[in-house]
């Protein structure tokens, strides 16, 4: 999870696109990175997880996970450690923060219509970004290499 610090980037396509890769894939395009990851490395044991904040809180985030690890804009992290860290950081910024970890079908990641079938979720499709984000996500993935194990 990443706390947005670029005023107006969420609603301004140019500002959003011009964010550094790490911030871009942390704030608003985590689902695109997850899709690119599954496209390259997807296996049946990998699950898309949505951190769905409790009502009244912000901090949506999407990751790819197995029983052992989680992948997001940080790269790979031990699953339990990542989840504990995510909750601790969010509660630092937003006292009382709570979230559900919800498994999502992978096709939701690139379909606004399918994403909206999940209450509280509304993801941008690749064509709704200023430029095509999938090539950018694929290049960003090159920094990390294949999953552990």
């Amino acid at each position: 999870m990443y706390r947005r610090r670029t005023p107006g980037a969420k609603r301004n396509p140019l500002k959003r696109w011009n964010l550094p890769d790490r911030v871009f894939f942390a704030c608003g395009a985590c689902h695109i990175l997850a899709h690119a990851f599954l496209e390259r490395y997807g296996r049946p044991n990998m699950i898309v997880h949505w951190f769905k904040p409790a009502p009244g809180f912000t901090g949506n985030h999407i990751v790819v996970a197995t029983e052992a690890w989680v992948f997001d804009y940080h790269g790979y992290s031990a699953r339990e450690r990542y989840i504990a860290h995510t909750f601790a950081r969010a509660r630092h910024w937003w006292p009382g923060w709570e979230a559900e970890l919800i498994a999502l079908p992978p096709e939701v990641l690139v379909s606004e219509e399918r994403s909206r079938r999940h209450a509280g979720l509304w993801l941008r499709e690749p064509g709704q970004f200023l430029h095509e984000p999938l090539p950018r996500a694929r290049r960003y993935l090159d920094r990390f290499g294949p999953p552990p194990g």
Side-chain angles (χ1 to χ4, degrees):
M1 177 170 320
Y2 192 94
R3 186 170 171 210
R4 187 182 312 274
R5 294 185 177 105
T6 308
K10 185 172 183 173
R11 289 180 178 75
N12 181 314
L14 183 60
K15 278 187 176 183
R16 182 182 324 116
W17 187 259
N18 287 325
L19 291 169
D21 285 345
R22 182 177 168 92
V23 179
F24 182 75
F25 292 116
C27 297
C30 54
H31 63 292
I32 299 295
L33 184 61
H35 176 80
F37 181 90
L38 292 173
E39 179 183 74
R40 184 178 293 180
Y41 299 119
R43 302 286 182 271
N45 68 327
M46 295 178 186
I47 300 169
V48 175
H49 280 301
W50 170 31
F51 284 83
K52 179 185 180 182
F57 289 100
T58 188
N60 284 285
H61 192 48
I62 291 179
V63 301
V64 176
T66 67
E67 291 293 321
W69 52 261
V70 169
F71 177 84
D72 76 348
Y73 67 96
H74 291 107
Y76 301 97
S77 302
R79 180 187 170 95
E80 294 309 316
R81 185 171 175 260
Y82 177 89
I83 291 170
H85 174 77
T86 297
F87 274 75
R89 289 300 289 163
R91 288 175 179 153
H92 171 79
W93 293 319
W94 306 293
W97 190 85
E98 287 294 331
E100 284 183 77
L101 208 56
I102 296 177
L104 295 173
E107 61 271 11
V108 163
L109 299 174
V110 290
S111 171
E112 176 187 356
E113 187 269 325
R114 288 182 178 166
S115 75
R116 296 197 64 184
R117 293 178 190 170
H118 300 268
L121 188 62
W122 186 350
L123 301 176
R124 285 184 179 86
E125 296 182 9
Q128 294 172 321
F129 287 82
L130 183 63
H131 302 291
E132 173 58 56
L134 284 167
R136 183 175 177 177
R138 292 175 188 127
R139 284 190 305 274
Y140 190 71
L141 280 177
D142 292 340
R143 300 176 184 190
F144 304 104

